Amino acid sequence: MTDANLLMKARAALKAVEAPGGDIVSCGAIEGLSATTGGVVRFTLNADKAGANAQALLERARAAVEAVEGVSRVAAVATAHRAQTAPAGGHANPFALDKKPRIEKAAQELAGVKNVIAVASGKGGVGKSTIAANLAVALGALGYRVGLLDADIYGPSLPTLFALSGKPDIVEGKIRPVEKFGVKSMSIGLLVDAERALAWRGPMVMGAIRQLIGDVEWGALDYLIVDTPPGTGDAHLTLAQSKRLTGAIIVSTPQEMALADVRRGVELFRKTNVPILGVVENMAWLETAPGEKTHLFGKGGAQAAARDLGAPFLGALPIEPDLRIACDEGVPIAFRAPGSTIAAALSALAEKIAARVS
Ligand code: ADP
């Protein structure tokens, strides 16, 4: 039930928050303001109307409403920028300028999520996103409740892998994940312009991760699989600092160079006390004739590296053209052809991971 009196008081409190074009109510940045008799106030901050520092404004707006007598909870979220032009001297970013990205607080929002698993790789192009997405679908097929968060800020792949497009729905101040292939998914690529995100550093990346974790309605899940950017950087540190990571999976191809990067990835997670659930070797061989394996990039490199690093080896996956085609067509192979050899291998990987977690 609407509390008209509280609604008026909340609007008045918001009018005291200054934005570049006047106060945030007058410049039209507040949308969907509501107040219930239970004291819950909800609103959306339109990032385009609010200006470049939407995240900082959101925090101020939230604080202003929280201070109103009778308010028990504030559910507020900033929408993504739609404008194509970046403001002078900066990059349009709904998550920007949040100087205190309270990642631990945001992570508390994952109360209903039992396990958060980061999928990482030393470098790009090794199949990290492919494995993260198919692993999520395979875990779903095993009967688990699964979420998939594409946090690869510098090259989100989920819009392609799951054929997702358009802005996500925001309901009662929360970003609603897209339910597809038995998985609840959300990609940074649906919220921001990927090209612009390439320039993000430090606080912007941290703010984005915080919002992806805290402001998406993940609900009750057994596993939240997080596809991280390649290499080791701010996104990984932020996730580790959330203190919610159950563990990390490292994906590598067998080559030496990739393996040097794997070592760096393992080190970062170890330093931040995140358990390494294991290393997966991808593109390990190509079946050139039935039963005949050609090890294009050398044999057993990732397994040997896992042993050196004291990390479990979770298994190897072949180069499988059907897997690549399914990725490009936006239907995960674990969903499209669950009976195929590659889908069975992915399912076995999912079972192994579930067993390691439990
Ligand atoms: P990353 O996330 O590490 O950058 P991607 O998951 O985007 O890598 O994979 C890079 C490319 O390799 C994609 O075209 C994907 O379809 C393809 N690919 C990944 N793993 C395999 C595989 N086992 N067999 C065939 N193609 C693969």
Side-chain angles (χ1 to χ4, degrees):
M1 280 243 309
T2 299
D3 183 332
N5 192 26
L6 191 60
L7 186 63
M8 261 170 49
K9 284 201 261 178
R11 185 175 288 116
L14 287 168
K15 272 184 84 69
V17 179
E18 293 289 320
D23 72 79
I24 51 173
V25 177
S26 306
C27 72
I30 298 295
E31 293 171 354
L33 179 64
S34 70
T36 68
T37 44
V40 180
V41 176
R42 297 188 169 89
F43 61 88
T44 301
L45 185 79
N46 183 317
D48 284 321
K49 291 185 180 153
N53 54 352
Q55 190 61 36
L57 270 181
L58 180 68
E59 295 302 330
R60 280 165 50 209
R62 197 197 301 266
V65 177
E66 272 169 357
V68 172
E69 203 190 324
V71 171
S72 60
R73 189 164 76 84
V74 178
V77 69
T79 63
H81 276 278
R82 287 178 183 81
Q84 292 305 305
T85 48
H91 294 270
N93 168 11
F95 308 119
L97 303 179
D98 187 358
K99 295 210 174 61
K100 286 188 196 131
R102 292 162 294 163
I103 183 66
E104 282 185 50
K105 192 173 169 223
Q108 287 166 11
E109 302 272 334
L110 294 178
V113 178
K114 286 189 190 152
N115 299 291
V116 184
I117 297 177
V119 181
S121 66
K123 59 176 195 171
V126 300
K128 167 185 58 62
S129 303
T130 304
I131 289 179
N134 279 283
L135 194 58
V137 175
L139 281 166
L142 290 172
Y144 296 107
R145 295 162 303 171
V146 186
L148 174 61
L149 170 56
D150 173 16
D152 188 346
I153 300 205
Y154 306 117
S157 342
L158 200 58
T160 307
L161 290 173
F162 272 24
L164 307 179
S165 62
K167 297 284 172 203
D169 292 335
I170 296 177
V171 179
E172 299 188 342
K174 284 273 194 180
I175 302 167
R176 185 163 278 185
V178 183
E179 301 212 35
K180 210 169 175 184
F181 308 124
V183 172
K184 280 187 182 175
S185 58
M186 183 43 57
S187 170
I188 182 86
L190 296 185
L191 298 167
V192 298
D193 178 345
E195 275 181 33
R196 207 162 281 148
L198 279 173
W200 290 2
R201 293 288 175 271
M204 286 176 165
V205 172
M206 295 171 102
I209 300 284
R210 184 175 77 89
Q211 194 151 14
L212 284 169
I213 286 183
D215 289 348
V216 177
E217 181 95 66
W218 291 110
L221 296 178
D222 296 306
Y223 293 98
L224 177 62
I225 307 291
V226 186
D227 181 9
T228 65
T232 45
D234 294 315
H236 304 82
L237 266 178
T238 310
L239 282 167
Q241 283 164 359
S242 75
K243 301 207 168 80
R244 275 304 318 264
L245 284 185
T246 310
I249 296 166
I250 314 275
V251 178
S252 172
T253 51
Q255 302 102 308
E256 256 313 298
M257 240 182 72
L259 294 178
D261 297 321
V262 169
R263 289 194 168 85
R264 271 194 290 279
V266 168
E267 286 304 309
L268 176 116
F269 286 115
R270 287 236 165 100
K271 268 190 203 141
T272 47
N273 298 319
V274 175
I276 304 293
L277 295 172
V279 174
V280 178
E281 187 173 52
N282 190 27
M283 310 196 202
W285 70 86
L286 177 69
E287 194 168 284
T288 33
E292 203 176 288
K293 293 176 178 177
T294 303
H295 293 85
L296 294 174
F297 305 120
K299 198 174 173 186
Q303 189 163 8
R307 201 172 39 236
D308 283 0
L309 292 161
F313 181 67
L314 293 172
L317 296 168
I319 297 176
E320 173 51 66
D322 287 347
L323 175 57
R324 206 264 313 142
I325 293 165
C327 288
D328 287 351
E329 291 178 358
V331 186
I333 195 118
F335 183 86
R336 172 182 278 181
S340 62
T341 310
I342 188 75
L346 286 157
S347 180
L349 186 64
E351 281 188 57
K352 217 169 198 173
I353 289 163
R356 285 204 63 79
V357 168
S358 67

